[in-house]
Amino acid sequence: FDLEAEDYVSLPKGEVHKRRQVVQDVTLHDLDVANASPTGTNKKDVLSLVQQLNKPKKTEITEKLRSEVNRVVNKYILEGVAELIPGVLFIDEVHMLDMECFTYLNKSLESTLSPILIMATNRGLTHIRCSDRGYSNHDDDSLLSPHGIPMDLLDRMLIIRTRSYNLQERLKIVSLRAKTEGIDDITTEALEALAELGDSSTSSLRFVIQLLTPAKIMAQCTEGRTQVTLSDIHTVQHLFLHAKTSAKQLLTDNGGEGYLHY
């Protein structure tokens, strides 16, 4: 093996060409707004759409403009020039939507550019708002459906199984909430009483969390203490009613005075 052997390579000639890749994150709404100008561009590529972001004059975003932008974006997604990262649309208390909103959501989900839709509700079998022929809000004329969602939309969804919190989980949640609200000096008996009160069969965790601040005020104003004890929890528990307790008293023939009876 000759250690002194050398291989000579010819020196490259000509201009040096550099290639740079520019990645810019934009939303479909940004592209719609950027191209909603009276002097819009005739070019239908992604670069020309992005260049319109700095133009100040804007007009109304029409359905025709949205369709044109979606067409160009879909074209470049198929060619590999652009990449679609779907967004997430979270709708809480979805049973409050009416039939017109559900129709729009059902149509939007058919688009290839639609976001990931997450809906939350605590209703079981309930009426769909404005689902009667007269488009009113009377429940007697509305359609019944699970969770207040139309069946054609519900069939396209995956329902996540949930369960109620157990005692230890409620105790941990109440403890964390007390620290968040600045209630550091609270006895263990008081936290355990709140956790037991937060059972979904008798009350709710939201109601229990709302009792923390009144209990703190009760301890400071009446007893002059900074520590929240079990007696403070019992006091505010009788001062404020949960929605289930109030509804039961309204439906009871021998409810307290001052309640309406039907």
Side-chain angles (χ1 to χ4, degrees), residues 64-92:
K64 181 179 179 181
L65 176 63
R66 287 195 179 98
S67 301
E68 187 65 24
V69 171
N70 293 346
R71 185 187 66 82
V72 176
V73 172
N74 282 324
K75 174 184 176 183
Y76 279 89
I77 289 175
L78 294 176
E79 295 177 355
V81 178
E83 179 184 1
L84 176 64
I85 302 177
V88 178
L89 174 61
F90 179 79
I91 303 178
D92 195 10

PDB file of all heavy atoms in Angstrom, residues 64-92:
ATOM      1  N   LYS A  64     -66.977  32.863  -3.385  1.00  0.00           N
ATOM      2  CA  LYS A  64     -66.195  32.586  -4.589  1.00  0.00           C
ATOM      3  C   LYS A  64     -64.709  32.689  -4.312  1.00  0.00           C
ATOM      4  O   LYS A  64     -63.915  31.871  -4.804  1.00  0.00           O
ATOM      5  CB  LYS A  64     -66.599  33.571  -5.694  1.00  0.00           C
ATOM      6  CG  LYS A  64     -65.863  33.358  -7.005  1.00  0.00           C
ATOM      7  CD  LYS A  64     -66.320  34.354  -8.050  1.00  0.00           C
ATOM      8  CE  LYS A  64     -65.564  34.147  -9.361  1.00  0.00           C
ATOM      9  NZ  LYS A  64     -65.994  35.133 -10.400  1.00  0.00           N
ATOM     10  N   LEU A  65     -64.318  33.695  -3.519  1.00  0.00           N
ATOM     11  CA  LEU A  65     -62.908  33.851  -3.162  1.00  0.00           C
ATOM     12  C   LEU A  65     -62.427  32.681  -2.319  1.00  0.00           C
ATOM     13  O   LEU A  65     -61.325  32.144  -2.540  1.00  0.00           O
ATOM     14  CB  LEU A  65     -62.701  35.167  -2.412  1.00  0.00           C
ATOM     15  CG  LEU A  65     -61.294  35.429  -1.875  1.00  0.00           C
ATOM     16  CD1 LEU A  65     -60.290  35.519  -3.011  1.00  0.00           C
ATOM     17  CD2 LEU A  65     -61.268  36.703  -1.045  1.00  0.00           C
ATOM     18  N   ARG A  66     -63.229  32.241  -1.357  1.00  0.00           N
ATOM     19  CA  ARG A  66     -62.848  31.103  -0.536  1.00  0.00           C
ATOM     20  C   ARG A  66     -62.671  29.844  -1.387  1.00  0.00           C
ATOM     21  O   ARG A  66     -61.737  29.067  -1.189  1.00  0.00           O
ATOM     22  CB  ARG A  66     -63.915  30.853   0.539  1.00  0.00           C
ATOM     23  CG  ARG A  66     -63.933  31.877   1.666  1.00  0.00           C
ATOM     24  CD  ARG A  66     -64.733  31.356   2.835  1.00  0.00           C
ATOM     25  NE  ARG A  66     -64.754  32.299   3.939  1.00  0.00           N
ATOM     26  CZ  ARG A  66     -65.745  33.143   4.183  1.00  0.00           C
ATOM     27  NH1 ARG A  66     -66.796  33.164   3.390  1.00  0.00           N
ATOM     28  NH2 ARG A  66     -65.693  33.969   5.214  1.00  0.00           N
ATOM     29  N   SER A  67     -63.589  29.643  -2.339  1.00  0.00           N
ATOM     30  CA  SER A  67     -63.493  28.464  -3.194  1.00  0.00           C
ATOM     31  C   SER A  67     -62.242  28.500  -4.054  1.00  0.00           C
ATOM     32  O   SER A  67     -61.585  27.468  -4.259  1.00  0.00           O
ATOM     33  CB  SER A  67     -64.744  28.364  -4.078  1.00  0.00           C
ATOM     34  OG  SER A  67     -65.915  28.282  -3.286  1.00  0.00           O
ATOM     35  N   GLU A  68     -61.882  29.689  -4.539  1.00  0.00           N
ATOM     36  CA  GLU A  68     -60.685  29.810  -5.378  1.00  0.00           C
ATOM     37  C   GLU A  68     -59.418  29.553  -4.571  1.00  0.00           C
ATOM     38  O   GLU A  68     -58.500  28.867  -5.028  1.00  0.00           O
ATOM     39  CB  GLU A  68     -60.641  31.205  -6.018  1.00  0.00           C
ATOM     40  CG  GLU A  68     -59.530  31.386  -7.031  1.00  0.00           C
ATOM     41  CD  GLU A  68     -59.707  30.484  -8.241  1.00  0.00           C
ATOM     42  OE1 GLU A  68     -60.847  30.080  -8.529  1.00  0.00           O
ATOM     43  OE2 GLU A  68     -58.685  30.184  -8.891  1.00  0.00           O
ATOM     44  N   VAL A  69     -59.361  30.102  -3.365  1.00  0.00           N
ATOM     45  CA  VAL A  69     -58.200  29.869  -2.504  1.00  0.00           C
ATOM     46  C   VAL A  69     -58.105  28.392  -2.129  1.00  0.00           C
ATOM     47  O   VAL A  69     -57.015  27.794  -2.156  1.00  0.00           O
ATOM     48  CB  VAL A  69     -58.277  30.760  -1.243  1.00  0.00           C
ATOM     49  CG1 VAL A  69     -57.185  30.368  -0.243  1.00  0.00           C
ATOM     50  CG2 VAL A  69     -58.130  32.227  -1.613  1.00  0.00           C
ATOM     51  N   ASN A  70     -59.231  27.776  -1.804  1.00  0.00           N
ATOM     52  CA  ASN A  70     -59.225  26.354  -1.466  1.00  0.00           C
ATOM     53  C   ASN A  70     -58.784  25.497  -2.646  1.00  0.00           C
ATOM     54  O   ASN A  70     -58.073  24.496  -2.468  1.00  0.00           O
ATOM     55  CB  ASN A  70     -60.617  25.922  -1.003  1.00  0.00           C
ATOM     56  CG  ASN A  70     -61.013  26.558   0.318  1.00  0.00           C
ATOM     57  OD1 ASN A  70     -60.172  27.108   1.026  1.00  0.00           O
ATOM     58  ND2 ASN A  70     -62.284  26.485   0.648  1.00  0.00           N
ATOM     59  N   ARG A  71     -59.183  25.908  -3.852  1.00  0.00           N
ATOM     60  CA  ARG A  71     -58.790  25.142  -5.030  1.00  0.00           C
ATOM     61  C   ARG A  71     -57.287  25.198  -5.242  1.00  0.00           C
ATOM     62  O   ARG A  71     -56.641  24.167  -5.518  1.00  0.00           O
ATOM     63  CB  ARG A  71     -59.511  25.684  -6.267  1.00  0.00           C
ATOM     64  CG  ARG A  71     -59.264  24.878  -7.525  1.00  0.00           C
ATOM     65  CD  ARG A  71     -59.870  25.577  -8.727  1.00  0.00           C
ATOM     66  NE  ARG A  71     -59.182  26.825  -8.997  1.00  0.00           N
ATOM     67  CZ  ARG A  71     -58.030  26.906  -9.678  1.00  0.00           C
ATOM     68  NH1 ARG A  71     -57.446  25.801 -10.135  1.00  0.00           N
ATOM     69  NH2 ARG A  71     -57.459  28.068  -9.894  1.00  0.00           N
ATOM     70  N   VAL A  72     -56.699  26.387  -5.085  1.00  0.00           N
ATOM     71  CA  VAL A  72     -55.259  26.528  -5.271  1.00  0.00           C
ATOM     72  C   VAL A  72     -54.492  25.777  -4.187  1.00  0.00           C
ATOM     73  O   VAL A  72     -53.494  25.093  -4.454  1.00  0.00           O
ATOM     74  CB  VAL A  72     -54.865  28.018  -5.275  1.00  0.00           C
ATOM     75  CG1 VAL A  72     -53.359  28.181  -5.372  1.00  0.00           C
ATOM     76  CG2 VAL A  72     -55.550  28.742  -6.428  1.00  0.00           C
ATOM     77  N   VAL A  73     -54.982  25.860  -2.953  1.00  0.00           N
ATOM     78  CA  VAL A  73     -54.307  25.174  -1.851  1.00  0.00           C
ATOM     79  C   VAL A  73     -54.389  23.662  -2.036  1.00  0.00           C
ATOM     80  O   VAL A  73     -53.394  22.933  -1.836  1.00  0.00           O
ATOM     81  CB  VAL A  73     -54.924  25.597  -0.505  1.00  0.00           C
ATOM     82  CG1 VAL A  73     -54.374  24.743   0.626  1.00  0.00           C
ATOM     83  CG2 VAL A  73     -54.628  27.070  -0.224  1.00  0.00           C
ATOM     84  N   ASN A  74     -55.542  23.145  -2.451  1.00  0.00           N
ATOM     85  CA  ASN A  74     -55.681  21.709  -2.682  1.00  0.00           C
ATOM     86  C   ASN A  74     -54.762  21.232  -3.805  1.00  0.00           C
ATOM     87  O   ASN A  74     -54.188  20.132  -3.730  1.00  0.00           O
ATOM     88  CB  ASN A  74     -57.135  21.373  -3.030  1.00  0.00           C
ATOM     89  CG  ASN A  74     -58.030  21.338  -1.810  1.00  0.00           C
ATOM     90  OD1 ASN A  74     -57.609  20.911  -0.742  1.00  0.00           O
ATOM     91  ND2 ASN A  74     -59.268  21.780  -1.954  1.00  0.00           N
ATOM     92  N   LYS A  75     -54.594  22.074  -4.811  1.00  0.00           N
ATOM     93  CA  LYS A  75     -53.730  21.711  -5.925  1.00  0.00           C
ATOM     94  C   LYS A  75     -52.290  21.547  -5.469  1.00  0.00           C
ATOM     95  O   LYS A  75     -51.620  20.573  -5.828  1.00  0.00           O
ATOM     96  CB  LYS A  75     -53.832  22.788  -7.012  1.00  0.00           C
ATOM     97  CG  LYS A  75     -52.866  22.584  -8.171  1.00  0.00           C
ATOM     98  CD  LYS A  75     -52.955  23.731  -9.160  1.00  0.00           C
ATOM     99  CE  LYS A  75     -51.917  23.575 -10.268  1.00  0.00           C
ATOM    100  NZ  LYS A  75     -51.951  24.731 -11.211  1.00  0.00           N
ATOM    101  N   TYR A  76     -51.828  22.478  -4.674  1.00  0.00           N
ATOM    102  CA  TYR A  76     -50.426  22.424  -4.249  1.00  0.00           C
ATOM    103  C   TYR A  76     -50.190  21.407  -3.133  1.00  0.00           C
ATOM    104  O   TYR A  76     -49.073  20.979  -2.926  1.00  0.00           O
ATOM    105  CB  TYR A  76     -49.955  23.814  -3.842  1.00  0.00           C
ATOM    106  CG  TYR A  76     -49.583  24.646  -5.035  1.00  0.00           C
ATOM    107  CD1 TYR A  76     -50.542  25.420  -5.679  1.00  0.00           C
ATOM    108  CD2 TYR A  76     -48.297  24.629  -5.537  1.00  0.00           C
ATOM    109  CE1 TYR A  76     -50.204  26.174  -6.788  1.00  0.00           C
ATOM    110  CE2 TYR A  76     -47.957  25.371  -6.645  1.00  0.00           C
ATOM    111  CZ  TYR A  76     -48.910  26.149  -7.283  1.00  0.00           C
ATOM    112  OH  TYR A  76     -48.589  26.871  -8.387  1.00  0.00           O
ATOM    113  N   ILE A  77     -51.256  21.046  -2.433  1.00  0.00           N
ATOM    114  CA  ILE A  77     -51.121  19.946  -1.472  1.00  0.00           C
ATOM    115  C   ILE A  77     -50.905  18.637  -2.218  1.00  0.00           C
ATOM    116  O   ILE A  77     -50.063  17.805  -1.836  1.00  0.00           O
ATOM    117  CB  ILE A  77     -52.361  19.876  -0.566  1.00  0.00           C
ATOM    118  CG1 ILE A  77     -52.377  21.060   0.406  1.00  0.00           C
ATOM    119  CG2 ILE A  77     -52.378  18.573   0.221  1.00  0.00           C
ATOM    120  CD1 ILE A  77     -53.624  21.124   1.259  1.00  0.00           C
ATOM    121  N   LEU A  78     -51.645  18.433  -3.323  1.00  0.00           N
ATOM    122  CA  LEU A  78     -51.477  17.225  -4.116  1.00  0.00           C
ATOM    123  C   LEU A  78     -50.113  17.178  -4.783  1.00  0.00           C
ATOM    124  O   LEU A  78     -49.540  16.095  -4.971  1.00  0.00           O
ATOM    125  CB  LEU A  78     -52.585  17.148  -5.176  1.00  0.00           C
ATOM    126  CG  LEU A  78     -54.019  16.978  -4.648  1.00  0.00           C
ATOM    127  CD1 LEU A  78     -55.014  17.010  -5.793  1.00  0.00           C
ATOM    128  CD2 LEU A  78     -54.145  15.682  -3.864  1.00  0.00           C
ATOM    129  N   GLU A  79     -49.561  18.344  -5.153  1.00  0.00           N
ATOM    130  CA  GLU A  79     -48.248  18.387  -5.792  1.00  0.00           C
ATOM    131  C   GLU A  79     -47.101  18.334  -4.794  1.00  0.00           C
ATOM    132  O   GLU A  79     -45.940  18.248  -5.203  1.00  0.00           O
ATOM    133  CB  GLU A  79     -48.128  19.656  -6.639  1.00  0.00           C
ATOM    134  CG  GLU A  79     -49.097  19.693  -7.816  1.00  0.00           C
ATOM    135  CD  GLU A  79     -48.996  20.987  -8.596  1.00  0.00           C
ATOM    136  OE1 GLU A  79     -48.226  21.879  -8.146  1.00  0.00           O
ATOM    137  OE2 GLU A  79     -49.657  21.108  -9.642  1.00  0.00           O
ATOM    138  N   GLY A  80     -47.402  18.411  -3.504  1.00  0.00           N
ATOM    139  CA  GLY A  80     -46.359  18.352  -2.493  1.00  0.00           C
ATOM    140  C   GLY A  80     -45.690  19.671  -2.195  1.00  0.00           C
ATOM    141  O   GLY A  80     -44.720  19.731  -1.436  1.00  0.00           O
ATOM    142  N   VAL A  81     -46.190  20.755  -2.782  1.00  0.00           N
ATOM    143  CA  VAL A  81     -45.619  22.079  -2.523  1.00  0.00           C
ATOM    144  C   VAL A  81     -46.036  22.590  -1.155  1.00  0.00           C
ATOM    145  O   VAL A  81     -45.256  23.237  -0.452  1.00  0.00           O
ATOM    146  CB  VAL A  81     -46.035  23.067  -3.631  1.00  0.00           C
ATOM    147  CG1 VAL A  81     -45.484  24.468  -3.358  1.00  0.00           C
ATOM    148  CG2 VAL A  81     -45.556  22.568  -4.991  1.00  0.00           C
ATOM    149  N   ALA A  82     -47.250  22.312  -0.770  1.00  0.00           N
ATOM    150  CA  ALA A  82     -47.775  22.768   0.516  1.00  0.00           C
ATOM    151  C   ALA A  82     -48.188  21.555   1.349  1.00  0.00           C
ATOM    152  O   ALA A  82     -48.475  20.482   0.814  1.00  0.00           O
ATOM    153  CB  ALA A  82     -48.956  23.709   0.318  1.00  0.00           C
ATOM    154  N   GLU A  83     -48.221  21.768   2.639  1.00  0.00           N
ATOM    155  CA  GLU A  83     -48.628  20.720   3.569  1.00  0.00           C
ATOM    156  C   GLU A  83     -49.747  21.247   4.455  1.00  0.00           C
ATOM    157  O   GLU A  83     -49.660  22.356   4.979  1.00  0.00           O
ATOM    158  CB  GLU A  83     -47.448  20.281   4.428  1.00  0.00           C
ATOM    159  CG  GLU A  83     -47.799  19.207   5.453  1.00  0.00           C
ATOM    160  CD  GLU A  83     -46.639  18.858   6.358  1.00  0.00           C
ATOM    161  OE1 GLU A  83     -45.562  19.474   6.208  1.00  0.00           O
ATOM    162  OE2 GLU A  83     -46.807  17.979   7.230  1.00  0.00           O
ATOM    163  N   LEU A  84     -50.787  20.478   4.588  1.00  0.00           N
ATOM    164  CA  LEU A  84     -51.936  20.889   5.392  1.00  0.00           C
ATOM    165  C   LEU A  84     -51.790  20.376   6.813  1.00  0.00           C
ATOM    166  O   LEU A  84     -51.599  19.180   7.037  1.00  0.00           O
ATOM    167  CB  LEU A  84     -53.230  20.359   4.777  1.00  0.00           C
ATOM    168  CG  LEU A  84     -54.508  20.643   5.574  1.00  0.00           C
ATOM    169  CD1 LEU A  84     -54.773  22.140   5.649  1.00  0.00           C
ATOM    170  CD2 LEU A  84     -55.697  19.919   4.974  1.00  0.00           C
ATOM    171  N   ILE A  85     -51.860  21.293   7.765  1.00  0.00           N
ATOM    172  CA  ILE A  85     -51.874  20.939   9.186  1.00  0.00           C
ATOM    173  C   ILE A  85     -53.249  21.320   9.721  1.00  0.00           C
ATOM    174  O   ILE A  85     -53.540  22.498   9.916  1.00  0.00           O
ATOM    175  CB  ILE A  85     -50.768  21.676   9.967  1.00  0.00           C
ATOM    176  CG1 ILE A  85     -49.404  21.341   9.379  1.00  0.00           C
ATOM    177  CG2 ILE A  85     -50.816  21.308  11.451  1.00  0.00           C
ATOM    178  CD1 ILE A  85     -48.261  22.082  10.037  1.00  0.00           C
ATOM    179  N   PRO A  86     -54.132  20.368   9.934  1.00  0.00           N
ATOM    180  CA  PRO A  86     -55.508  20.710  10.336  1.00  0.00           C
ATOM    181  C   PRO A  86     -55.552  21.346  11.721  1.00  0.00           C
ATOM    182  O   PRO A  86     -54.799  20.966  12.621  1.00  0.00           O
ATOM    183  CB  PRO A  86     -56.229  19.354  10.306  1.00  0.00           C
ATOM    184  CG  PRO A  86     -55.143  18.342  10.498  1.00  0.00           C
ATOM    185  CD  PRO A  86     -53.925  18.908   9.842  1.00  0.00           C
ATOM    186  N   GLY A  87     -56.426  22.309  11.867  1.00  0.00           N
ATOM    187  CA  GLY A  87     -56.632  22.934  13.165  1.00  0.00           C
ATOM    188  C   GLY A  87     -57.627  22.139  13.992  1.00  0.00           C
ATOM    189  O   GLY A  87     -58.128  21.081  13.576  1.00  0.00           O
ATOM    190  N   VAL A  88     -57.931  22.654  15.172  1.00  0.00           N
ATOM    191  CA  VAL A  88     -58.851  22.002  16.094  1.00  0.00           C
ATOM    192  C   VAL A  88     -59.941  23.000  16.481  1.00  0.00           C
ATOM    193  O   VAL A  88     -59.643  24.110  16.938  1.00  0.00           O
ATOM    194  CB  VAL A  88     -58.137  21.486  17.359  1.00  0.00           C
ATOM    195  CG1 VAL A  88     -59.132  20.866  18.322  1.00  0.00           C
ATOM    196  CG2 VAL A  88     -57.052  20.471  16.987  1.00  0.00           C
ATOM    197  N   LEU A  89     -61.173  22.621  16.278  1.00  0.00           N
ATOM    198  CA  LEU A  89     -62.327  23.435  16.662  1.00  0.00           C
ATOM    199  C   LEU A  89     -63.020  22.749  17.828  1.00  0.00           C
ATOM    200  O   LEU A  89     -63.551  21.639  17.677  1.00  0.00           O
ATOM    201  CB  LEU A  89     -63.286  23.614  15.486  1.00  0.00           C
ATOM    202  CG  LEU A  89     -64.607  24.338  15.801  1.00  0.00           C
ATOM    203  CD1 LEU A  89     -64.345  25.753  16.291  1.00  0.00           C
ATOM    204  CD2 LEU A  89     -65.514  24.349  14.581  1.00  0.00           C
ATOM    205  N   PHE A  90     -63.013  23.384  19.000  1.00  0.00           N
ATOM    206  CA  PHE A  90     -63.640  22.825  20.200  1.00  0.00           C
ATOM    207  C   PHE A  90     -64.913  23.612  20.502  1.00  0.00           C
ATOM    208  O   PHE A  90     -64.885  24.835  20.643  1.00  0.00           O
ATOM    209  CB  PHE A  90     -62.685  22.896  21.389  1.00  0.00           C
ATOM    210  CG  PHE A  90     -63.275  22.347  22.665  1.00  0.00           C
ATOM    211  CD1 PHE A  90     -63.330  20.984  22.890  1.00  0.00           C
ATOM    212  CD2 PHE A  90     -63.788  23.196  23.630  1.00  0.00           C
ATOM    213  CE1 PHE A  90     -63.880  20.477  24.052  1.00  0.00           C
ATOM    214  CE2 PHE A  90     -64.332  22.705  24.795  1.00  0.00           C
ATOM    215  CZ  PHE A  90     -64.381  21.337  25.006  1.00  0.00           C
ATOM    216  N   ILE A  91     -66.022  22.903  20.599  1.00  0.00           N
ATOM    217  CA  ILE A  91     -67.323  23.515  20.890  1.00  0.00           C
ATOM    218  C   ILE A  91     -67.842  22.908  22.182  1.00  0.00           C
ATOM    219  O   ILE A  91     -68.154  21.708  22.232  1.00  0.00           O
ATOM    220  CB  ILE A  91     -68.325  23.294  19.747  1.00  0.00           C
ATOM    221  CG1 ILE A  91     -67.769  23.831  18.424  1.00  0.00           C
ATOM    222  CG2 ILE A  91     -69.652  23.970  20.068  1.00  0.00           C
ATOM    223  CD1 ILE A  91     -68.688  23.593  17.245  1.00  0.00           C
ATOM    224  N   ASP A  92     -67.929  23.714  23.228  1.00  0.00           N
ATOM    225  CA  ASP A  92     -68.481  23.259  24.495  1.00  0.00           C
ATOM    226  C   ASP A  92     -69.977  23.548  24.536  1.00  0.00           C
ATOM    227  O   ASP A  92     -70.462  24.459  23.851  1.00  0.00           O
ATOM    228  CB  ASP A  92     -67.764  23.965  25.651  1.00  0.00           C
ATOM    229  CG  ASP A  92     -68.024  23.281  26.978  1.00  0.00           C
ATOM    230  OD1 ASP A  92     -68.596  22.175  26.975  1.00  0.00           O
ATOM    231  OD2 ASP A  92     -67.668  23.858  28.025  1.00  0.00           O
TER     232      ASP A  92
END
